[in-house]
């Protein structure tokens, strides 16, 4: 597998590994810039506060930023910070205002489950690149808030894993892992159930996938739900997955499933294209209905959507759903 060039950036906040094209590698993942990540973490902070009672067996983590007595770490001052939290001695040495972050109430673990099956490599691989960017951004925001984050990349089996951890070095490890991976172009199925044994009991889980499996992974999601404090599912839609080949000759073309290798004949044309789009819409509708029944926070986005928009929209929907469930 090709490994994208990474270098740690000693800048404000969590250091952000930067990826660069290697010999014109069009499949390389380009992570968001640090300024974008910091802005997203600030915007998403209030959406990532969960007021759900902790499940029995869930591990509480007390070290997270908030209002408390013990200092957690330091960060640059941003407008809106209370002046009383400025560390004047450290600010004088740094020649810029630095504020203390303090420990607050405990939170549970988060695990990010990312699909790297062959369907994520269809077309130019935009689905995988979008998934990697979304995962990195979510990891940054959660780590910025002091959460403990784990990463599991799956296909037919677990393809890569970063155990739960916190802090700047942990974000760098997650970014390096994502940058090093490329989904196999064919033959790698989606088996979300392979991740179950690696989940800490009672933690929050986010699954990022195209959910192009026989049952849209509904059985696996249902099995994971009792193990999670909250379960999130973000579906990626890619136009390449439903774009049929065009031909100027009469007859049929053979379509091959990237994951299973199954083949079927199809006649190219507007009717077949419309049928493929309808099938994708139906997949999303089934997932959304299932999620509503089972208490899974679900949303979908296109691979061309800005990553900030996709994540904030998902977190807003999850918050609305959580409040609706609590009022019942």
């Amino acid at each position: 597998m090709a490994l994208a060039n990474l270098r740690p950036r000693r800048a404000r906040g969590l250091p952000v590994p930067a990826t660069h094209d290697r010999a014109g590698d069009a499949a390389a993942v380009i992570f968001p810039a640090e300024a974008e990540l910091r802005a997203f973490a600030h915007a998403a902070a209030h959406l990532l506060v969960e007021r759900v009672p902790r499940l029995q067996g869930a591990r509480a983590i007390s070290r997270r930023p908030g209002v408390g007595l013990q200092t957690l770490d330091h960060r640059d001052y941003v407008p809106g910070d209370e002046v009383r939290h400025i560390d004047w001695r450290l600010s004088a040495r740094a020649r810029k205002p630095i504020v203390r972050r303090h420990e607050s109430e405990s939170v549970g673990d988060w695990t990010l489950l990312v699909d790297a099956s062959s369907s994520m490599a269809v077309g130019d691989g935009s689905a995988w690149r979008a998934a990697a960017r979304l995962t990195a951004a979510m990891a940054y925001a959660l780590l910025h808030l002091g959460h403990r984050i784990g990463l599991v990349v799956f296909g037919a089996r677990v393809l890569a894993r970063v155990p739960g951890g916190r802090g700047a070095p942990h974000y760098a490890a997650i970014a390096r892992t994502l940058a090093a991976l490329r989904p196999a172009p064919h033959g790698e199925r989606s088996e979300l159930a392979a991740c179950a044994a690696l989940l800490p009991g009672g933690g929050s889980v986010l699954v990022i996938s195209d959910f192009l499996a026989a049952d849209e992974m509904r059985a696996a999601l249902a099995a994971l739900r009792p193990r999670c404090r909250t379960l999130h599912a973000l579906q990626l839609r890619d136009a390449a997955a439903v774009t049929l080949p065009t031909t100027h000759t009469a007859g049929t073309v053979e379509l091959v499933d990237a994951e299973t290798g199954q083949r079927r004949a199809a006649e190219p044309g507007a009717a077949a294209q419309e049928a493929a789009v309808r099938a994708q819409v139906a997949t999303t509708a089934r997932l959304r209905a299932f999620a509503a029944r089972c208490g899974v926070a679900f949303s979908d986005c296109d691979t061309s959507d800005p990553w900030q928009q996709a994540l904030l929209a998902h977190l807003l929907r999850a918050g609305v759903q959580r409040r609706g469930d609590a009022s019942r």
Side-chain angles (χ1 to χ4, degrees), residues 109-157:
D109 296 341
W110 275 79
T111 305
L112 308 180
L113 308 181
V114 191
D115 185 357
S117 62
S118 294
S119 63
M120 300 289 284
V122 168
D124 64 354
S126 60
W128 168 249
R129 292 195 299 275
R133 282 193 297 271
L134 291 166
T135 302
M138 192 68 171
Y140 184 97
L142 290 166
L143 289 167
H144 184 78
L145 292 171
H147 292 265
R148 183 182 179 92
I149 309 302
L151 170 71
V152 180
V153 182
F154 68 94
R157 64 198 186 287

Side-chain angles (χ1 to χ4, degrees), residues 21-143:
D21 286 347
R22 189 176 193 179
D25 183 3
V29 176
I30 307 299
F31 292 112
E34 182 176 7
E36 294 177 310
L37 290 171
R38 286 171 60 84
F40 169 70
H42 182 75
H46 71 287
L47 299 173
L48 291 170
V49 175
E50 295 186 344
R51 295 180 174 86
V52 179
R54 184 161 56 95
L55 299 178
Q56 183 176 3
R59 177 167 48 160
I61 298 172
S62 59
R63 290 178 61 82
R64 58 163 293 208
V67 178
L69 299 177
Q70 299 297 320
T71 298
L72 174 61
D73 59 13
H74 293 79
R75 63 166 172 80
D76 289 357
Y77 172 88
V78 296
D81 286 338
E82 296 186 45
V83 175
R84 65 192 178 98
H85 293 318
I86 294 178
D87 186 323
W88 296 105
R89 182 174 298 178
L90 187 57
S91 297
R93 290 201 300 268
R95 297 187 177 182
K96 60 183 178 181
I98 303 292
V99 297
R100 300 184 185 92
R101 295 201 302 173
H102 298 92
E103 294 182 7
S104 184
E105 297 177 357
S106 63
V107 294
D109 296 341
W110 275 79
T111 305
L112 308 180
L113 308 181
V114 191
D115 185 357
S117 62
S118 294
S119 63
M120 300 289 284
V122 168
D124 64 354
S126 60
W128 168 249
R129 292 195 299 275
R133 282 193 297 271
L134 291 166
T135 302
M138 192 68 171
Y140 184 97
L142 290 166
L143 289 167

Side-chain angles (χ1 to χ4, degrees), residues 26-32 37 112-116 119-122 124-139 178 181-183 206-210 234-239 300-311:
V29 176
I30 307 299
F31 292 112
L37 290 171
L112 308 180
L113 308 181
V114 191
D115 185 357
S119 63
M120 300 289 284
V122 168
D124 64 354
S126 60
W128 168 249
R129 292 195 299 275
R133 282 193 297 271
L134 291 166
T135 302
M138 192 68 171
L178 293 169
L181 285 168
R182 299 286 186 277
L206 169 62
V207 183
I208 298 179
S209 170
D210 56 13
L234 178 55
Q235 182 194 23
L236 290 173
R237 292 178 283 99
D238 184 8
D300 64 295
C301 67
D302 193 270
T303 57
S304 62
D305 291 343
W307 61 267
Q308 302 97 321
Q309 173 185 313
L311 286 175

Side-chain angles (χ1 to χ4, degrees), residues 45 87 106 256-257 320:
D87 186 323
S106 63
V256 182
D257 187 301
V320 170

Side-chain angles (χ1 to χ4, degrees), residues 162-188:
V162 180
R166 290 171 293 179
H170 199 64
Y171 174 79
I174 288 173
R176 283 194 298 268
T177 299
L178 293 169
L181 285 168
R182 299 286 186 277
H186 51 78
E188 188 72 52

